[in-house]
Amino acid sequence: MIIVLRPDATQEDLDHLVKKLKDVGLQAHISKGVERTLVGAIGDEAILRAMPLEAFPGVESVLPILKPFKLASRDFRRENSIIKVGSSEIGGNHIAVIAGPCAVENKTLMVEIAKGVKAGGANFVRGGAFKPRTSPYAFQGLEEEGLKYLALAREHTGLPVVTEVMDPRDIQLIAEYADVLQIGARNMQNFRLLKDVGMCKKPILLKRGISATIKEWLMSAEYIMAGGNHQVILCERGIRTYETETRNTLDLSAIPVLKKMTHLPVVVDPSHAVGKRDLVAPMAKAAVAAGADGLLIEVHSNPEEALCDGEQSLTPDAFKKLMDELRPIAKAVGREI
Ligand code: PEP
Ligand code: MN
């Protein structure tokens, strides 16, 4: 249920309502909008129906949430969610750009690439320290050593760090170093991992599963939010189709579809979607034109030698050129980058 408070409802009214909901074992999620405060009451529907919620002081109306995803739904929060990370944000007017190598490879290269993406205009630096590789014989990442190099890259550039977590046992460690935790496509329905990052205080970049529908993806976001962590950023990274010319098929229509269904920010990763360097720029431009709140771009200063995903990585120069080309497109859709 969504409980809509009257504009003149007091903090006491809100506290009283939340206490009553919690007393009967329900969860109360507060969404403070510009005009109205909403309380999402989640739990046993029978208990909810039996409560005379409309009689509570400060309550204007009570609406059922018909969608299976509740906290992620636009019904629960009408304004776009803006996720703040240090002095950067995702979901506001500024289009956030996350850039860096697929994997953290060594200290020098990580700092060099971070400086390169910063010079090109990136707002976040990325790099995988724990890598989900198809083959167990492929480079698996530097683990904690890689996290240290990411923290060093942040020290040199001031850019917040985005990195992947694959296992619930690593959440605490990764959260000590990273500013945003990424859940990769292969783990979008790892429910244990989703529940555990739901208890974490850091924002979560949730990638779309390789063959996941938008509803399934939003249900995964709901898992994280139900744990109390409402700082979820969705990332479209291409889905598996019958087409083999590209690594995956970028679902651009997911952007406007999500904008209707959810208040959460939507980032697009054209690099993993197309898998080929020369296709990254056109799809990044299309994503910005279609309303993406951010981009995730793989950048490597020596793509031929990259330990992972070199074929889809831009050089820092190509990244800077792309950023320059994106500016007028962002402006045309009322945004900045
Ligand atoms: C990545 O971002 O490095 C990655 C592994 O992406 P995905 O989970 O989308 O394949
Ligand atoms: Mn990659």
Side-chain angles (χ1 to χ4, degrees):
M1 297 280 184
I2 294 176
I3 305 161
V4 184
L5 297 194
R6 285 204 305 262
D8 61 351
T10 63
Q11 184 64 39
E12 268 178 14
D13 295 339
L14 176 63
D15 293 344
H16 174 70
L17 175 66
V18 168
K19 183 177 179 305
K20 287 285 178 188
L21 292 170
K22 290 195 172 156
D23 283 352
V24 292
L26 297 167
Q27 280 186 24
H29 296 269
I30 300 160
S31 163
K32 284 201 171 160
V34 183
E35 288 168 14
R36 288 274 197 283
T37 295
L38 307 182
V39 179
I42 296 190
D44 189 329
E45 292 286 324
I47 296 179
L48 266 167
R49 276 193 300 271
M51 285 178 87
L53 291 166
E54 257 149 356
F56 277 64
V59 172
E60 182 173 271
S61 56
V62 181
L63 312 164
I65 315 178
L66 300 172
K67 310 234 171 38
F69 47 92
K70 302 186 187 298
L71 303 171
S73 153
R74 270 255 180 234
D75 298 342
F76 174 57
R77 190 182 156 83
R78 290 163 201 167
E79 295 89 5
N80 291 331
S81 277
I82 300 178
I83 315 287
K84 292 195 168 44
V85 188
S87 58
S88 302
E89 28 178 71
I90 307 185
N93 198 51
H94 187 272
I95 296 170
V97 179
I98 305 164
C102 183
V104 182
E105 298 179 19
N106 62 60
K107 194 198 297 188
T108 321
L109 203 52
M110 192 58 235
V111 173
E112 177 187 311
I113 299 171
K115 287 182 178 167
V117 301
K118 162 98 179 184
N123 311 106
F124 292 80
V125 63
R126 64 147 282 150
F130 294 82
K131 291 303 303 173
R133 304 305 300 276
T134 303
S135 164
Y137 309 117
F139 176 57
Q140 304 286 308
L142 298 179
E143 303 189 347
E144 187 168 4
E145 191 189 343
L147 296 174
K148 290 189 173 145
Y149 300 159
L150 283 166
L152 193 64
R154 174 178 51 216
E155 247 175 63
H156 279 275
T157 59
L159 297 179
V161 165
V162 182
T163 197
E164 179 160 352
V165 56
M166 295 200 300
D167 189 310
R169 291 168 294 186
D170 300 324
I171 295 172
Q172 211 187 338
L173 174 74
I174 297 176
E176 277 169 31
Y177 291 95
D179 300 287
V180 176
L181 272 54
Q182 173 175 319
I183 303 273
R186 289 155 193 82
N187 271 317
M188 189 206 82
Q189 285 189 318
N190 180 338
F191 298 114
R192 178 63 200 249
L193 183 60
L194 297 174
K195 279 185 184 172
D196 286 4
V197 295
M199 291 186 286
C200 169
K201 300 271 179 286
K202 297 275 163 105
I204 308 298
L205 181 83
L206 177 65
K207 288 195 144 194
R208 182 176 186 177
I210 290 168
S211 304
T213 65
I214 290 176
K215 278 200 188 107
E216 286 163 344
W217 187 11
L218 288 172
M219 289 311 292
S220 293
E222 190 76 16
Y223 260 93
I224 301 171
M225 299 175 87
N229 188 352
H230 289 205
Q231 303 180 88
V232 179
I233 304 143
L234 301 166
C235 178
E236 161 63 38
R237 46 77 74 203
I239 45 174
R240 183 162 288 179
T241 67
Y242 49 79
E243 185 52 70
T244 55
E245 290 302 316
T246 47
R247 184 174 175 181
N248 293 288
T249 297
L250 183 62
D251 182 7
L252 277 175
S253 57
I255 307 164
V257 168
L258 285 165
K259 287 282 154 199
K260 280 204 275 183
M261 297 169 84
T262 180
H263 53 86
L264 298 173
V266 181
V267 164
V268 170
D269 168 0
S271 305
H272 290 89
V274 296
K276 291 175 186 166
R277 187 174 310 133
D278 58 327
L279 302 179
V280 171
M283 297 319 281
K285 292 174 191 171
V288 168
D293 297 302
L295 292 171
L296 187 162
I297 312 273
E298 281 192 340
V299 177
H300 196 289
S301 36
N302 189 3
E304 298 84 71
E305 305 268 314
L307 294 181
C308 181
D309 286 350
E311 60 286 10
Q312 68 196 31
S313 298
L314 301 186
T315 60
D317 284 349
F319 171 70
K320 183 176 187 314
K321 180 167 175 283
L322 169 61
M323 289 295 285
D324 291 341
E325 291 169 358
L326 287 170
R327 271 182 207 106
I329 300 170
K331 195 165 171 226
V333 293
R335 310 283 291 263
E336 54 183 51
I337 192 162

